[in-house]
mmCIF file of all heavy atoms in Angstrom:
data_model
loop_
_atom_site.group_PDB
_atom_site.id
_atom_site.type_symbol
_atom_site.label_atom_id
_atom_site.label_comp_id
_atom_site.label_asym_id
_atom_site.label_seq_id
_atom_site.Cartn_x
_atom_site.Cartn_y
_atom_site.Cartn_z
ATOM 1 N N PHE A 6 -90.427 -52.566 14.834
ATOM 2 C CA PHE A 6 -89.573 -53.612 14.254
ATOM 3 C C PHE A 6 -88.443 -53.993 15.199
ATOM 4 O O PHE A 6 -88.152 -55.185 15.391
ATOM 5 C CB PHE A 6 -88.995 -53.123 12.922
ATOM 6 C CG PHE A 6 -88.013 -54.088 12.302
ATOM 7 C CD1 PHE A 6 -88.449 -55.264 11.708
ATOM 8 C CD2 PHE A 6 -86.646 -53.826 12.337
ATOM 9 C CE1 PHE A 6 -87.545 -56.161 11.159
ATOM 10 C CE2 PHE A 6 -85.740 -54.709 11.786
ATOM 11 C CZ PHE A 6 -86.186 -55.883 11.190
ATOM 12 N N LEU A 7 -87.807 -52.999 15.840
ATOM 13 C CA LEU A 7 -86.684 -53.293 16.725
ATOM 14 C C LEU A 7 -87.115 -54.093 17.953
ATOM 15 O O LEU A 7 -86.399 -55.014 18.379
ATOM 16 C CB LEU A 7 -86.017 -51.991 17.161
ATOM 17 C CG LEU A 7 -85.157 -51.285 16.104
ATOM 18 C CD1 LEU A 7 -84.590 -49.993 16.664
ATOM 19 C CD2 LEU A 7 -84.034 -52.193 15.619
ATOM 20 N N LEU A 8 -88.258 -53.768 18.520
ATOM 21 C CA LEU A 8 -88.740 -54.525 19.670
ATOM 22 C C LEU A 8 -88.948 -55.998 19.316
ATOM 23 O O LEU A 8 -88.538 -56.901 20.059
ATOM 24 C CB LEU A 8 -90.046 -53.920 20.197
ATOM 25 C CG LEU A 8 -89.946 -52.607 20.975
ATOM 26 C CD1 LEU A 8 -91.341 -52.080 21.298
ATOM 27 C CD2 LEU A 8 -89.144 -52.777 22.256
ATOM 28 N N VAL A 9 -89.575 -56.231 18.171
ATOM 29 C CA VAL A 9 -89.827 -57.612 17.737
ATOM 30 C C VAL A 9 -88.523 -58.317 17.382
ATOM 31 O O VAL A 9 -88.297 -59.477 17.756
ATOM 32 C CB VAL A 9 -90.798 -57.627 16.549
ATOM 33 C CG1 VAL A 9 -90.957 -59.045 16.000
ATOM 34 C CG2 VAL A 9 -92.157 -57.069 16.956
ATOM 35 N N LEU A 10 -87.626 -57.621 16.661
ATOM 36 C CA LEU A 10 -86.355 -58.229 16.246
ATOM 37 C C LEU A 10 -85.502 -58.597 17.460
ATOM 38 O O LEU A 10 -84.968 -59.718 17.536
ATOM 39 C CB LEU A 10 -85.591 -57.260 15.340
ATOM 40 C CG LEU A 10 -84.200 -57.730 14.883
ATOM 41 C CD1 LEU A 10 -84.324 -58.981 14.028
ATOM 42 C CD2 LEU A 10 -83.473 -56.618 14.128
ATOM 43 N N ILE A 11 -85.364 -57.674 18.419
ATOM 44 C CA ILE A 11 -84.559 -57.952 19.609
ATOM 45 C C ILE A 11 -85.162 -59.104 20.404
ATOM 46 O O ILE A 11 -84.436 -59.986 20.898
ATOM 47 C CB ILE A 11 -84.449 -56.686 20.486
ATOM 48 C CG1 ILE A 11 -83.632 -55.614 19.759
ATOM 49 C CG2 ILE A 11 -83.823 -57.011 21.837
ATOM 50 C CD1 ILE A 11 -83.643 -54.268 20.459
ATOM 51 N N ALA A 12 -86.495 -59.118 20.515
ATOM 52 C CA ALA A 12 -87.159 -60.207 21.237
ATOM 53 C C ALA A 12 -86.898 -61.549 20.553
ATOM 54 O O ALA A 12 -86.579 -62.552 21.216
ATOM 55 C CB ALA A 12 -88.650 -59.939 21.318
ATOM 56 N N PHE A 13 -87.009 -61.580 19.254
ATOM 57 C CA PHE A 13 -86.811 -62.839 18.515
ATOM 58 C C PHE A 13 -85.377 -63.331 18.642
ATOM 59 O O PHE A 13 -85.128 -64.509 18.918
ATOM 60 C CB PHE A 13 -87.171 -62.635 17.040
ATOM 61 C CG PHE A 13 -86.982 -63.868 16.201
ATOM 62 C CD1 PHE A 13 -87.975 -64.829 16.123
ATOM 63 C CD2 PHE A 13 -85.791 -64.086 15.513
ATOM 64 C CE1 PHE A 13 -87.799 -65.986 15.362
ATOM 65 C CE2 PHE A 13 -85.612 -65.226 14.752
ATOM 66 C CZ PHE A 13 -86.612 -66.179 14.674
ATOM 67 N N LEU A 14 -84.405 -62.429 18.452
ATOM 68 C CA LEU A 14 -82.998 -62.834 18.515
ATOM 69 C C LEU A 14 -82.616 -63.286 19.922
ATOM 70 O O LEU A 14 -81.873 -64.261 20.092
ATOM 71 C CB LEU A 14 -82.103 -61.676 18.069
ATOM 72 C CG LEU A 14 -82.219 -61.272 16.589
ATOM 73 C CD1 LEU A 14 -81.323 -60.078 16.291
ATOM 74 C CD2 LEU A 14 -81.881 -62.441 15.674
ATOM 75 N N THR A 15 -83.127 -62.597 20.928
ATOM 76 C CA THR A 15 -82.827 -62.984 22.311
ATOM 77 C C THR A 15 -83.403 -64.346 22.638
ATOM 78 O O THR A 15 -82.725 -65.210 23.227
ATOM 79 C CB THR A 15 -83.380 -61.940 23.292
ATOM 80 O OG1 THR A 15 -82.848 -60.651 22.987
ATOM 81 C CG2 THR A 15 -83.033 -62.302 24.725
ATOM 82 N N ALA A 16 -84.656 -64.568 22.246
ATOM 83 C CA ALA A 16 -85.290 -65.864 22.508
ATOM 84 C C ALA A 16 -84.593 -66.976 21.729
ATOM 85 O O ALA A 16 -84.404 -68.091 22.248
ATOM 86 C CB ALA A 16 -86.774 -65.793 22.138
ATOM 87 N N ALA A 17 -84.208 -66.682 20.489
ATOM 88 C CA ALA A 17 -83.511 -67.689 19.680
ATOM 89 C C ALA A 17 -82.169 -68.065 20.297
ATOM 90 O O ALA A 17 -81.795 -69.252 20.361
ATOM 91 C CB ALA A 17 -83.314 -67.162 18.264
ATOM 92 N N TRP A 18 -81.432 -67.047 20.778
ATOM 93 C CA TRP A 18 -80.133 -67.323 21.407
ATOM 94 C C TRP A 18 -80.305 -68.159 22.666
ATOM 95 O O TRP A 18 -79.549 -69.118 22.903
ATOM 96 C CB TRP A 18 -79.464 -65.992 21.732
ATOM 97 C CG TRP A 18 -78.143 -66.143 22.413
ATOM 98 C CD1 TRP A 18 -76.979 -66.628 21.893
ATOM 99 C CD2 TRP A 18 -77.859 -65.806 23.778
ATOM 100 N NE1 TRP A 18 -75.983 -66.608 22.829
ATOM 101 C CE2 TRP A 18 -76.490 -66.106 23.998
ATOM 102 C CE3 TRP A 18 -78.617 -65.271 24.815
ATOM 103 C CZ2 TRP A 18 -75.873 -65.905 25.229
ATOM 104 C CZ3 TRP A 18 -78.003 -65.057 26.040
ATOM 105 C CH2 TRP A 18 -76.652 -65.361 26.241
ATOM 106 N N ARG A 19 -81.289 -67.838 23.464
ATOM 107 C CA ARG A 19 -81.545 -68.611 24.679
ATOM 108 C C ARG A 19 -82.032 -70.018 24.345
ATOM 109 O O ARG A 19 -81.736 -70.976 25.071
ATOM 110 C CB ARG A 19 -82.583 -67.900 25.548
ATOM 111 C CG ARG A 19 -82.097 -66.567 26.119
ATOM 112 C CD ARG A 19 -83.188 -65.897 26.929
ATOM 113 N NE ARG A 19 -83.562 -66.696 28.072
ATOM 114 C CZ ARG A 19 -84.757 -66.702 28.641
ATOM 115 N NH1 ARG A 19 -85.724 -65.937 28.135
ATOM 116 N NH2 ARG A 19 -85.009 -67.458 29.688
ATOM 117 N N GLN A 20 -82.757 -70.156 23.255
ATOM 118 C CA GLN A 20 -83.285 -71.461 22.837
ATOM 119 C C GLN A 20 -82.140 -72.436 22.550
ATOM 120 O O GLN A 20 -82.206 -73.607 22.909
ATOM 121 C CB GLN A 20 -84.157 -71.291 21.591
ATOM 122 C CG GLN A 20 -84.755 -72.566 21.032
ATOM 123 C CD GLN A 20 -86.064 -72.954 21.694
ATOM 124 O OE1 GLN A 20 -86.589 -72.198 22.505
ATOM 125 N NE2 GLN A 20 -86.571 -74.132 21.372
#
Side-chain angles (χ1 to χ4, degrees):
F6 175 74
L7 286 179
L8 286 174
V9 174
L10 177 63
I11 293 172
F13 179 85
L14 293 178
T15 303
W18 178 69
R19 294 178 63 209
Q20 179 86 6

